[in-house]
Amino acid sequence: MISAERISTARTTLNVLSVPGTTGEPVLFIHGNVSSSTFWRPTMAALAESPDTGLRPLAVDLRGFGDSDPAPVDATRGLRDYSDDVLALLDVIGPAHLVGWSMGGGVVLQALRDRPEAVRSATLVNPVSPYGFGGTTGPDGALTHPDGAGSGGGTVTDFVDALRAGDRSADSPISPRSVLRTAYVVPGTDLGEDEDAYVESMLSTRLGEDHYPGDSVATTAWPGVAPGKRGVLNTMAPTYFRIDDLHTIDPKPPILWIRGTEDVIVSDTSLFDLAHLGAIGALPGWDDTPAQPMVTQTRAALDRYGNYREVAILGCGHSPHVEKPAEFRAALVAHLSEA
């Protein structure tokens, strides 16, 4: 049985899941964008059923997601509103192994960058690039335009409308359920009885300029939108979020990078990167702006870091812990046992 507790920190109040009766080293799971701790429930339950691992699984709802307080997000700090919340939680529960999925992977990277002594180990699950999402090129994340055009809160529209409408159907290709089935996982993945809970998790996302997706500004550069200063998607704009000095931290906790080989969200050819969509003719007016090589960028940053291992799960999409849970847990437990 998994329980939920609201924990007050020096910064805000966060909803945290735990498994009563488990003891050992804390492992804090951090969800991605348009989701919540709900996506970690099966992983937590499975770890708790294997007490020989000596782990205490926990999962947090980031601000504005799930049942945590909907504090506004200052995107000019990059992902630090989220990572500072996590570090404040660690001040309460003690140092922990951090596991971050997608945007949550970026939160883990920022927490690791800012306070490595609080992180026993890091696991990145299909993480956002160390140079954000959209608007960069090359392995070192060079900006394609100085204002970050092609990234930020103006890069989504219809999906926000579907979230606001509370669409639980699969009638539209941009409904939360359809996006879950076709982008969060490889199409055809059987999500079983958990699917409805995942949809409700997505719908728990707070909406607006202070939350998801955030604000945006117009730009003369293609595709005509640049990041604003508030809300979720702007936290990952390359003008605000950039971790190019991770290799300088001391100590260097071990990092495990787990990724699905069929991911269409975080990819060198991401179907959520406007530049790639322009290149394949899905968006008009493309001006040869190059796509962001997200996986290549992560690998380059981790190569500089040194103390890491990459596990690529074949036939898996954006959510290895959901799609290939046994393979995911095996890699994670092996990593944690060696940390």
Side-chain angles (χ1 to χ4, degrees):
M1 177 180 178
I2 294 176
S3 65
E5 176 185 7
R6 285 172 56 79
I7 297 179
S8 294
T9 73
R11 289 178 51 81
T12 188
T13 299
L14 300 170
N15 185 61
V16 179
L17 303 184
S18 63
V19 183
T22 55
T23 59
E25 294 192 6
V27 182
L28 182 62
F29 294 94
I30 302 168
H31 64 83
N33 193 11
V34 191
S35 63
S36 72
S37 58
T38 294
F39 278 80
W40 291 115
R41 280 179 172 266
T43 300
M44 295 174 66
L47 289 178
E49 291 172 1
S50 303
D52 56 309
T53 59
L55 301 172
R56 177 187 170 210
L58 305 162
V60 62
D61 288 336
L62 298 173
R63 62 168 63 194
F65 297 93
D67 292 321
S68 286
D69 282 1
V73 178
D74 178 359
T76 65
R77 305 185 69 237
L79 286 167
R80 277 195 171 95
D81 268 356
Y82 300 122
S83 62
D84 283 353
D85 287 350
V86 168
L87 291 172
L89 179 60
L90 296 188
D91 288 338
V92 177
I93 68 174
H97 301 277
L98 299 185
V99 182
W101 167 46
S102 194
M103 182 182 81
V107 174
V108 169
L109 283 172
Q110 191 66 68
L112 178 61
R113 168 63 186 84
D114 291 344
R115 203 195 302 176
E117 67 276 7
V119 182
R120 295 187 183 277
S121 74
T123 300
L124 311 174
V125 186
N126 291 63
V128 63
S129 162
Y131 310 117
F133 198 98
T136 67
T137 186
D140 295 325
L143 288 172
T144 54
H145 297 287
D147 61 1
S151 68
T155 59
V156 298
T157 52
D158 293 345
F159 181 55
V160 179
D161 293 337
L163 289 170
R164 185 173 288 111
D167 187 352
R168 292 168 172 80
S169 76
D171 298 336
S172 164
I174 49 86
S175 74
R177 190 178 301 274
S178 295
V179 171
L180 171 68
R181 290 177 176 178
T182 61
Y184 282 36
V185 300
V186 168
T189 299
D190 182 7
L191 297 173
E193 61 185 17
D194 291 322
E195 180 173 293
D196 286 345
Y198 294 152
V199 172
E200 294 304 316
S201 169
M202 297 169 72
L203 290 170
S204 76
T205 303
R206 308 309 199 282
L207 303 177
E209 291 190 338
D210 282 326
H211 300 291
Y212 182 84
D215 62 344
S216 66
V217 298
T219 177
T220 57
W222 186 90
V225 293
K229 296 181 177 181
R230 300 152 58 193
V232 177
L233 292 185
N234 294 315
T235 67
M236 293 176 282
T239 48
Y240 303 134
F241 177 68
R242 182 179 182 88
I243 299 182
D244 53 8
D245 59 352
L246 190 68
H247 59 286
T248 68
I249 67 172
D250 183 28
K252 284 188 174 67
I255 295 176
L256 171 64
W257 175 25
I258 303 178
R259 64 180 183 87
T261 61
E262 306 304 315
D263 189 359
V264 299
I265 297 178
V266 175
S267 166
D268 285 3
T269 54
S270 170
L271 295 180
F272 289 70
D273 176 12
L274 299 190
H276 177 65
L277 291 177
I280 62 176
L283 284 182
W286 182 61
D287 64 351
D288 294 329
T289 297
Q292 179 185 7
M294 303 176 188
V295 173
T296 296
Q297 290 174 350
T298 295
R299 186 174 294 114
L302 293 180
D303 281 346
R304 288 194 297 272
Y305 183 82
N307 189 18
Y308 88 99
R309 183 166 67 97
E310 176 182 349
V311 174
I313 300 180
L314 299 176
C316 182
H318 189 60
S319 312
H321 52 301
V322 172
E323 301 169 76
K324 304 281 186 178
E327 291 179 58
F328 172 80
R329 289 195 305 271
L332 176 64
V333 170
H335 171 64
L336 297 178
S337 67
E338 297 169 358

